[in-house]
Amino acid sequence: MGSSAWTAANGGRLSERLPEGTLTRAGAIELRTPRASDLAAVAAIEEASFGDPWSAKEFSSVLAVDHSIFLIAESRGEIVGYVIAIAVLDEAEILNVAVSPSRRGEGIGGDLLDAALKQVESRGAESLFLEVRVSNVAARALYQSRGFAEISKRKNYYRTPLEDALVMRRAAKR
């Protein structure tokens, strides 16, 4: 789902609920909701990760959406990753997951995804969706390891560079 799609789906305030056990990796990584002061670091990770990145303003608007889940991973005072999801009624969508290039391969993306999945399921989501670039083998493997399966393809979904997206779905675990 693009940024305009989630923006169009009702407004409100971000829930302060955090996943249980916000400390992971023996206390080295903390997962928490972001503050406005964190958004420049989030935008920098986004810029380093995606060809068509969201702006800092778009991230700021996520903070005002009640049905959003926006978590960051922080390590020793540095923002090293983030996840954004939305949950509306019985469906949820993972919008973005990104980890700082220097910290990839450490399991931070998996921790963020797991925390988001736990939150959307606690809000009643029964079906979870996401889009991923066909060429993003690492992300596809992560999603498949969490029970997502490919259900369709969206031709030319991504603009920079132009590429198809795989739509993936996972049934909630109860």
Side-chain angles (χ1 to χ4, degrees):
M1 178 179 286
S3 58
S4 60
W6 67 258
T7 303
N10 299 330
R13 303 275 315 144
L14 175 69
S15 169
E16 291 299 321
R17 292 186 297 178
L18 288 174
E20 291 180 27
T22 58
L23 294 179
T24 60
R25 303 257 183 264
I29 302 291
E30 178 185 1
L31 303 182
R32 63 173 174 82
T33 56
R35 298 180 286 270
S37 60
D38 298 322
L39 298 182
V42 169
I45 293 169
E46 173 86 356
E47 181 79 26
S49 300
F50 301 110
D52 190 19
W54 289 14
S55 69
K57 183 178 178 179
E58 288 172 304
F59 285 111
S60 180
S61 66
V62 172
L63 293 174
V65 178
D66 186 43
H67 55 269
S68 70
I69 291 141
F70 189 174
L71 298 172
I72 60 169
E74 184 173 22
S75 175
R76 297 175 189 83
E78 176 187 6
I79 308 304
V80 295
Y82 69 92
V83 63
I84 299 173
I86 57 169
V88 179
L89 301 174
D90 63 346
E91 288 190 353
E93 184 170 355
I94 304 297
L95 300 177
N96 283 22
V97 179
V99 174
S100 178
S102 66
R103 300 298 299 267
R104 292 181 185 155
E106 297 179 26
I108 296 168
D111 289 344
L112 286 161
L113 181 60
D114 292 342
L117 293 172
K118 187 173 184 175
Q119 282 203 24
V120 298
E121 289 175 355
S122 74
R123 294 182 186 193
E126 295 179 13
S127 294
L128 297 89
F129 298 89
L130 59 83
E131 290 97 9
V132 62
R133 284 182 179 273
V134 170
S135 65
N136 194 339
V137 176
R140 289 170 55 190
L142 171 64
Y143 300 141
Q144 288 171 342
S145 76
R146 298 318 196 264
F148 283 89
E150 298 172 15
I151 61 169
S152 67
K153 187 183 284 189
R154 293 193 174 146
K155 186 143 180 73
N156 298 328
Y157 180 79
Y158 294 103
R159 296 179 297 227
T160 310
L162 191 63
E163 185 173 357
D164 296 347
L166 293 176
V167 178
M168 300 181 82
R169 180 187 177 276
R170 168 187 144 145
K173 298 190 182 210
R174 300 272 180 228

